[in-house]
Amino acid sequence: MSKKVLLIYPEIPLTYWCFKYSLEFIGKKAVFPPLGLLTVAAMLPEDWKVDLIDLNISTLDPEILPHYDMVFISAMIVQKKSFDMITSLCKDYNVPVVAGGPYPTSLWHSIPNVNHFVLNEAEVTLPKFLHDLHYGIPHHCYTSNEKPSLDKTPVPRFDIIDLTPYSSVPLQFSRGCPFNCEFCDIISLFGRVPRTKSPQQFLAELDAVYATGFRESIFIVDDNFIGNKTRAKELLKAIIEWQIDHSYPFSFQTEASINLAHDAELMQLMYKAGFDMVFLGIETPVIASLESAGKTQNTKEDLLENVKIIQQHGMEVSGGFIVGFDDDPENVFDLQVEFIQSSGIPIAMVGILDALPQTRLYDRLLSEGRLLYESNGNNTHKLAPNFIPKMPVQKLIDGYIQLLKTIYSPRNYFERCLTFISRIPQERMVYRQFTFKEFKALVLSLIKQGFSYYFMYYFKFLLNTLRLRPKLFSEAIALAIKGYHLFKITEILLDEYNKSLKEEEHTDTFAPSFASTFTTSTDTAGMVHTDNP
């Protein structure tokens, strides 16, 4: 029987990752559309009427809910607050809710107001739910440990969404990662054996995006794009041909492991395909912390040299960094600053270690009696760990704040940007477009940043770029605009931190009280008990 369903994507809170203040320069509202829901939409029966609302670019009028037979919702843990608001509204209007995605998959047993959980990988569990729904016997929870082939994964329904408000479109090539980092939940969600789509499948998805008229960047959201290097190279060769046939309409970004630097052929293929950025999970320069966290692949590398090699192959390196490991020395914050500044990594996402559900770290801390409460999924904006660290909590928070303050001082940020600009070749396969939108962004940048307290560092960076890499001037403007967001978020965090310091007057109760303040404001899932199902 045909149904009318509404797909809702919850709001992502203000964080370093959302780039809210940068997107305003280019007239965008969000970085990515909801790839998971768009893929689910393609798996629903063809005779169903499907609408989608992304709360990151629009609002939800509750009065429309009764016009739908059910609501589908997918979310990450960081979207919990918005997720709960949506499901509560649906309950008020008596509209059934079907939920999936990383947050429900990890914590479904503690989530209220959901009628049906369709968890893990939708290729396995969604058909079972749809079958039972058709016969009027849908169950409360559908789950499976099966890791399906991606051969049958359909092309996402880009026809049901306007891509104009987004700065990038996400596509997926593979799931799974061959490594076994203690703090990462990817292997529990998707396994350690990377599974890939065929090049033909991926090109069909590129065709679908191209058909919408979108002409900006594609982010391949694999947690490790090079988990299967042979398959990645096959795909890259196909992308190169597609890009040539279509006059290079897209630039590409992705996530990978640091051993990318070992494979010159792979980096050259990425360059020719139009890749201009790769995110690396570097975590820490402290070898003991890498070893205890199970990230042994990084202990075998000259991390700084590998970053430089990747940059010299034409790709910006963004990096993920963590403080709060059990083996972190007291000077870990200084070590992180030194590494980040030397690396020429402009966008360094540094967070306090977070114990996510379904990770080896979570299980270990729970068994040691050190887990305090469930993660809120936001390790950069939550200024307290969700566990009892080996380092005193106040020292960890103070060091983290000083680390952020240092790396996102305009002087240090623009120094890293210039290091990066000076390393990459001036010739690129895809140059950042300079349309009226980019001209408007430049004017806004000159006004907002050119008359800011850091105007000297801003203009010094732009002038040095014109001197060293004039063809990359638009890239420099983009980095400056991203810096505007990073500076704003850092200022917000510093204000909150200083406010808490004044309230506590540096008493001995500062650390636990400060932790309570932030975990309450970010709406965590509650305290952890060893008898949870």
Side-chain angles (χ1 to χ4, degrees), residues 159-191:
D159 60 299
I160 65 171
I161 192 170
D162 178 12
L163 296 178
T164 305
Y166 301 97
S167 64
S168 186
V169 168
L171 294 179
Q172 185 181 63
F173 170 61
S174 70
R175 295 179 196 163
C177 178
F179 300 115
N180 192 26
C181 305
E182 184 188 43
F183 53 84
C184 183
D185 62 353
I186 293 305
I187 56 174
S188 65
L189 291 172
F190 299 124

Side-chain angles (χ1 to χ4, degrees), residues 311-323:
Q311 291 168 333
Q312 289 173 335
H313 279 79
M315 289 177 281
E316 176 189 349
V317 172
S318 295
F321 298 86
I322 297 173
V323 294

